[in-house]
Amino acid sequence: MRDTWPQLAKIPFPALARRRITTLQVNVGYRCNQSCVHCHVAAGPHRTEQMGADVIDLVLAVLERRRIPTLDITGGAPELNPHFRALVRRARAMSVRVMDRCNLTILDVPGQEDLGEFLAREQVEITASMPCYLEDNVDQQRGKGVFHASLRALQRLNALGYGVAGSDLVLNLVYNPQGPSLPPGQAELEADYKRILGERYGIAFNHLYTLANMPIQRFGAILISKHAFDRYLTLLRDAHRDENLDGVMCRDLISVDWRGLLYDCDFNQMLDLPALGADGRPLQISDLLNTDPAGNPIRVAGHCYGCTAGQGSSCGGALREAAE
Ligand code: SF4
Ligand code: SF4
């Protein structure tokens, strides 16, 4: 896979500094039951990296010590980590809000038959990828049969109370474009998703988040192989809005990899750019027991325009309404 970092590193981006951590985003490993074209972590069934019980213990200790209100669990398919359920249970026992970045098809994987019930019992918020409401587009991006498997999973989650009116079980969907373009307006697309998924399949959900594709990993390599990398970076840079800088996720979130190394965000994790302490040393999860990184500079470069272009992108979707 062609690495995009040499090109991204040369592109300047405005300086950013951290605020207090309100979300600990934990990547528990790169194993996944899918191998999507746009995957920014290049996850797949053959990846073996997984967070062990020792690092999970440190994650829980940091949540408690720093009083971090939200744990955002990602992967790969995070549910495939053998410690996933223990992590969720222990965080919920501390009243931490837990989010699971779920690919939906994982609910069909043998051994995960009771996953929906488990997540509902623990009141875990589900953030699920659903790149389109049309079968061909989803299957092209995420693999054959993924669209219908995703619909089945959404219907099962709805039956458990996820995403339906009057329930406090939260089910959010994530959209990203098929190719090198900016996402459309989040509010308009959410309305279309709600109408079409509701009318055709009886599916309900809370919110749709729109995210731009990051020019890194598998998607970055495709851009390079199609000679579209520079064009996509120009598109992102031309659409940059300074007012989005305040809301980018790295200001309030810190990302942990399966080994316990810290990064300013999941994208920097994939670019192998660890967060640095005041002495220039890469930070580890254990450092958060004694050190507050608030005020530390964030490692920015050309890929960061993926977060500030147009409506902006964060793990909670667009940062502002679409421009008129
Ligand atoms: S489901 Fe998510 S983690 Fe898995 S390959 Fe697709 S994008 Fe990557
Ligand atoms: S990619 Fe986005 S979240 Fe990550 S450091 Fe850059 S601006 Fe922050």
Side-chain angles (χ1 to χ4, degrees):
M1 192 186 301
R2 288 280 300 278
D3 184 5
T4 55
W5 176 242
Q7 276 132 294
L8 295 170
K10 287 187 263 180
I11 301 173
F13 188 83
L16 291 175
R18 312 199 127 271
R19 298 184 287 231
R20 176 180 167 261
I21 303 171
T22 57
T23 300
L24 189 61
Q25 188 175 66
V26 178
N27 191 318
V28 294
Y30 306 146
R31 202 172 142 222
C32 188
N33 56 313
Q34 293 182 191
S35 314
C36 306
V37 172
H38 68 277
C39 182
H40 74 269
V41 295
H46 305 299
R47 299 294 297 260
T48 54
E49 303 90 336
Q50 296 212 90
M51 186 174 280
D54 50 343
V55 181
I56 299 258
D57 285 346
L58 282 167
V59 163
L60 289 155
V62 164
L63 285 171
E64 191 170 30
R65 177 77 59 90
R66 294 255 149 252
R67 297 182 190 283
I68 298 173
T70 301
L71 171 66
D72 180 350
I73 311 177
T74 183
E79 305 86 352
L80 291 177
N81 182 302
H83 308 293
F84 171 79
R85 294 193 189 199
L87 172 62
V88 169
R89 272 193 211 102
R90 291 170 67 191
R92 291 295 298 138
M94 298 190 304
S95 299
V96 170
R97 171 183 170 227
V98 176
M99 294 162 57
D100 175 30
R101 306 239 158 212
C102 177
N103 69 14
L104 295 174
T105 58
I106 191 70
L107 273 85
D108 261 358
V109 167
Q112 300 290 343
E113 294 82 358
D114 62 342
L115 177 65
E117 285 79 0
F118 168 78
L119 296 172
R121 206 164 45 241
E122 297 293 339
Q123 299 213 293
V124 174
E125 289 187 25
I126 297 178
T127 303
S129 327
M130 190 70 182
C132 193
Y133 43 71
L134 299 175
E135 178 174 359
D136 286 354
N137 288 347
V138 174
D139 285 4
Q140 189 187 338
Q141 189 181 106
R142 299 179 75 80
K144 198 162 169 42
V146 167
F147 181 71
H148 283 289
S150 301
L151 293 181
R152 279 196 303 278
L154 288 170
Q155 286 161 342
R156 278 165 64 188
L157 292 172
N158 281 167
L160 290 166
Y162 269 106
V164 298
S167 164
D168 49 14
L169 291 173
V170 176
L171 171 60
N172 295 319
L173 301 185
V174 176
Y175 164 90
N176 57 285
Q178 300 287 310
S181 56
L182 290 177
Q186 183 165 276
E188 297 81 358
L189 195 63
E190 178 181 291
D192 286 349
Y193 262 66
K194 286 199 164 166
R195 182 172 48 79
I196 292 171
L197 290 179
E199 284 173 3
R200 293 189 188 164
Y201 308 107
I203 287 169
F205 62 95
N206 295 96
H207 293 293
L208 178 78
Y209 298 152
T210 57
L211 305 182
N213 288 314
M214 275 286 159
I216 62 175
Q217 290 285 6
R218 211 170 271 155
F219 185 70
I222 291 171
L223 289 175
I224 290 182
S225 69
K226 293 189 169 167
H227 306 289
F229 183 83
D230 290 340
R231 205 177 329 129
Y232 186 56
L233 259 293
T234 301
L235 175 77
L236 295 179
R237 292 179 77 176
D238 287 350
H240 166 82
R241 293 167 70 184
D242 266 344
E243 56 270 39
N244 287 334
L245 291 169
D246 188 53
V248 290
M249 61 184 167
C250 51
R251 309 288 307 270
D252 318 280
L253 167 152
I254 201 155
S255 160
V256 192
D257 79 1
W258 64 281
R259 300 163 298 182
L261 269 174
L262 296 182
Y263 303 81
D264 293 312
C265 68
D266 211 31
F267 307 124
N268 282 8
Q269 185 179 142
M270 295 313 129
L271 287 166
D272 205 13
L273 289 180
L276 302 176
D279 56 1
R281 184 179 56 88
L283 290 173
Q284 310 254 0
I285 182 78
S286 53
D287 290 315
L288 293 183
L289 292 172
N290 306 309
T291 316
D292 184 348
N296 281 6
I298 293 166
R299 299 185 74 178
V300 292
H303 60 298
C304 296
Y305 289 101
C307 295
T308 59
Q311 293 180 86
S313 279
S314 79
C315 50
L319 302 174
R320 53 195 71 247
E321 295 300 308
E324 293 301 314

